[in-house]
Structure formats: C-alpha cells, structure tokens
Amino acid sequence: MSRKIGNAVIGAALMVVALAGAAAPAGAQTHDRLRVPVGRAEVVTSNDDVRTVAIAEPKIADAAVGSARTVVVNGKSVGVTTLVVYSEGARYKVYDVEVFTPNYNKQVQLRVRVAEVNDNAAKQLGFDWYGEGHSNQPWLDGFLAGGLLTSKISPYTDSPPGLTVGPETDGFLGYLKNSGNLKLQVAWRALEETGDLRTLATPTLITRSGQPASFLSGGEIPVPIANGTGAQAGTVTIEWKEFGVKLDFTPYVEDDNSITLKVAPEMSQIDFSNVTARTTAGVVPTIISRKASTTVNLRPGEHLAIGGLKQTDKVRIVRKVPILGYIPVLGFFFTDTSTQKVDRDLLVVVSPELVEQADSALPPLPTDQKDR
C-alpha cells in the first residue's frame, strides 16, 4: 500500500514539473543589463549562433549581427530600450539597453566669436595721377597738363595745379625735374584701408555634457502659406522662418577631460531681390543660407576655427540726373548704372572649456559692504 502511495506522489511531482516546463517559453532567460555610451558601440557575445536581433526603440540604439556569435549595439541617444537576441532552437535572450552620456554631470562653457570678412577691398584699389610739362620744341611749343582721378581720393587744386593729400589718401608720390619743365604726381588708396572685418556675435554658452546648446542672433520672418485643399481652401496660414547667425553645439566630455564637440554654424539673410511667390498677404522672399557641420575633439585651451563659408552679393547702383533721368526712353541717356560685386566670408571660432563645480555661496555684491 505504501509503495502505491509513493508512486502516486512521484507521478504527481513529475506532472507538475512538466506543466511548469510547458508554461515557460522555450529558451526564456532573465533580463541582462547593458550600458552603452552615446556615439559608442558595445559587442555582445552569445553561447549559440545568433539568428537575428530585434530592438524596441531604434532612435535610442540599433543592433546588428556582427559574426556568428556576436551582436554589435550602437548607442544613438540617451534612454532605455530592450534588445532581444534570437538563437537557434527558438532560444532567445533579453537585454535592457541603457544609453547614457559619459560625464553627464560635467558642464562645458563655449566661447564663440562669429565674424564676417569682406573681400571687397581688393576691388577698391584706386590711383589718381596728374602730370604737366612745357617745352619749346616745335612739336609742343607750349604747356601741357592733365590727369586722371578715377578714385577721387586726392583733391585737385588749380593754383598751383596738381594733387593734394586728402582724408582718404593712403599714399602720395611726386617728381619735379630740376629744369622745372616736367612734373608728375600720383596718389593711391591702399587695400588695408578699405578692408572690412565685422564681428557679428560673441556669445558664451554653458551646457552639460551631451546636452545641445544653441544661439540665434537675428529674427524671424513671416511666410504666408496658401491652403488650396480641404475645409481650409482659400485661407492663408503663417509660418515663421529664422534668419541671422545661428549656432548649434553639442559637447561630450571624455574620460581624459577632452571635449568632443559637434558644431553646426549657419548664416542666413533675407533676399527680397529674388521673390519666390506673391500672395494677397504679401511677397515671399528667398533666404540665402551658409551652413556647415563638423565634429572635432578639443582639449581645454584649444580652438576650433571654421572658415570658407563664402557668399557673393551683387549690388546694383543707379544714378540719374534729376528730372531728365526719369523721362521714358530719353532718361536712358541721363542714367548711370554700375554693379558692385562683394565677396563675404563667414568665420567662426569656438573655444570649449570645462566649468568647475560652482561654490554654493553667492558672490558678494556692492550693496553687501558693511556699514562704517
């Protein structure tokens, strides 16, 4: 009797084990945790041949089969997602993937200078010259004087005739023959005088490692958008477009305190000379843009300089004689039209620095002085 009871207990235990095995999915395992820095890759090894992989949120991380028993996981943005690695025989393993930013608590100060170099100086070099002479030879037998003042940088005088140094004159040279029968003068304007280096912005930004920072010195322009379909057909909506000097930064502090910096400068301006559309709400001008994007590794005290973002503008200048210049057809002969070509080069200099942990005490103010 006792042997039958023992066999029944063993049979029931085996049935419970079988039911438990049937309830659990084949190959199921506990979740392992995997930490991957942003912009880095980690290799996951498997005891079996990997068949395929699946990841829950591709915006946070992506994964691919590296070899027969390895999986490569790339960190893309900060967050937590799930990775499933499938092996042969319906077996799989689950990973909780945490993508993080190294040295997140460290702060970076970005000192920026944005300047625009005007290359128009090379096209503004000008000379004014004057010469006079007299001779008793039969081919002249008299006095001859003349000059060419293309730049008008040196005033001309009648008594005595010749050039004088003016407020825009950068150089002057003259020659007078000992006999007094030949006189030459020349004046010029130097390139450096007309050069132009204009500082557009000098922002200073502070952000945490891995967090983006941006700066905009400019404004927004309303762009009318006509709706032609649906219930809003015939209506006009307004979209705002940014223009000016715009800078986007994302610094990453490495373990050796160097800084990996992603920087994207952009310089844009409104061009009303090229109108893309005309609506009842107004005209839609084009926006001329110069932009760049790069990633570099810098140490504190080093600088990043970005140049070569050139832009060529053509300025059309029209001069008319009052009244006569506005007469149809005939006004063409009393109008002077000139086109000036200006080349501009955008220059961006960035200097990142680590910010030490701030003191909890506030700095003293002038009003905190003790009463005397």
Side-chain angles (χ1 to χ4, degrees):
M1 185 68 179
S2 59
R3 180 177 297 177
K4 292 182 179 180
I5 294 175
N7 291 336
V9 172
I10 295 174
L14 292 175
M15 183 176 295
V16 170
V17 173
L19 290 175
Q29 299 183 19
T30 58
H31 291 206
D32 288 347
R33 193 167 186 86
L34 179 65
R35 301 183 78 243
V36 183
V38 174
R40 304 291 180 84
E42 293 289 342
V43 178
V44 179
T45 59
S46 175
N47 296 328
D48 302 320
D49 291 344
V50 179
R51 184 174 181 181
T52 185
V53 296
I55 199 158
E57 183 52 70
K59 294 182 179 180
I60 297 178
D62 59 13
V65 179
S67 63
R69 295 192 176 187
T70 61
V71 176
V72 181
V73 182
N74 299 313
K76 300 174 66 177
S77 61
V78 177
V80 178
T81 185
T82 302
L83 169 67
V84 183
V85 179
Y86 293 93
S87 305
E88 298 292 339
R91 291 185 296 271
Y92 62 90
K93 191 172 183 179
V94 181
Y95 296 87
D96 289 333
V97 181
E98 178 188 357
V99 180
F100 67 98
T101 300
N103 300 314
Y104 175 77
N105 293 327
K106 293 187 177 181
Q107 296 187 105
V108 180
Q109 178 177 266
L110 302 171
R111 298 182 181 272
V112 186
R113 182 178 183 183
V114 183
E116 188 178 56
V117 182
N118 191 336
D119 294 339
N120 193 39
K123 298 181 178 66
Q124 292 182 349
L125 177 64
F127 292 88
D128 292 342
W129 65 270
Y130 169 81
E132 64 178 45
H134 61 87
S135 175
N136 296 325
Q137 297 296 326
W139 58 271
L140 180 59
D141 193 20
F143 178 81
L144 179 65
L148 181 62
L149 280 71
T150 56
S151 300
K152 295 181 175 59
I153 56 176
S154 302
Y156 175 80
T157 61
D158 294 330
S159 56
L163 301 179
T164 60
V165 177
E168 296 184 359
T169 303
D170 292 326
F172 185 84
L173 181 64
Y175 169 76
L176 179 61
K177 195 172 181 180
N178 290 332
S179 60
N181 59 359
L182 179 62
K183 179 181 180 181
L184 297 175
Q185 292 179 327
V186 62
W188 62 88
R189 177 167 51 187
L191 294 178
E192 291 78 9
E193 179 66 21
T194 56
D196 184 14
L197 175 60
R198 182 177 58 165
T199 300
L200 302 179
T202 56
T204 299
L205 307 175
I206 297 180
T207 183
R208 287 183 179 274
S209 175
Q211 297 298 311
S214 61
F215 170 81
L216 174 65
S217 176
E220 295 182 339
I221 179 175
V223 178
I225 305 297
N227 298 315
T229 59
Q232 297 182 350
T235 61
V236 177
T237 58
I238 300 297
E239 291 186 3
W240 295 89
K241 301 293 185 179
E242 296 179 344
F243 68 92
V245 180
K246 184 178 181 181
L247 300 170
D248 292 327
F249 303 95
T250 304
Y252 297 92
V253 180
E254 306 295 344
D255 293 336
D256 59 352
N257 283 338
S258 64
I259 301 172
T260 299
L261 183 65
K262 294 182 178 180
V263 56
E266 180 179 356
M267 173 68 179
S268 58
Q269 63 185 34
I270 304 173
D271 184 13
F272 282 99
S273 62
N274 295 322
V275 178
T276 59
R278 297 180 183 273
T279 64
T280 56
V283 298
V284 181
T286 58
I287 297 180
I288 302 174
S289 178
R290 292 172 287 170
K291 61 179 68 177
S293 179
T294 185
T295 302
V296 295
N297 183 266
L298 301 173
R299 293 186 176 276
E302 296 181 342
H303 307 276
L304 168 66
I306 301 176
L309 301 177
K310 292 185 176 292
Q311 176 179 326
T312 301
D313 296 334
K314 290 185 178 180
V315 180
R316 189 168 179 261
I317 302 175
V318 179
R319 298 184 179 91
K320 295 183 178 182
V321 177
I323 301 177
L324 297 178
Y326 294 92
I327 299 177
V329 182
L330 185 62
F332 173 79
F333 300 97
F334 298 93
T335 302
D336 176 67
T337 302
S338 61
T339 302
Q340 183 181 9
K341 184 178 178 182
V342 181
D343 294 331
R344 293 185 173 92
D345 189 357
L346 186 66
L347 178 65
V348 180
V349 180
V350 184
S351 178
E353 298 177 358
L354 288 176
V355 179
E356 300 296 336
Q357 187 175 1
D359 191 356
S360 58
L362 294 177
L365 299 177
T367 55
D368 296 337
Q369 296 179 359
K370 297 180 179 181
D371 295 336
R372 296 181 179 178

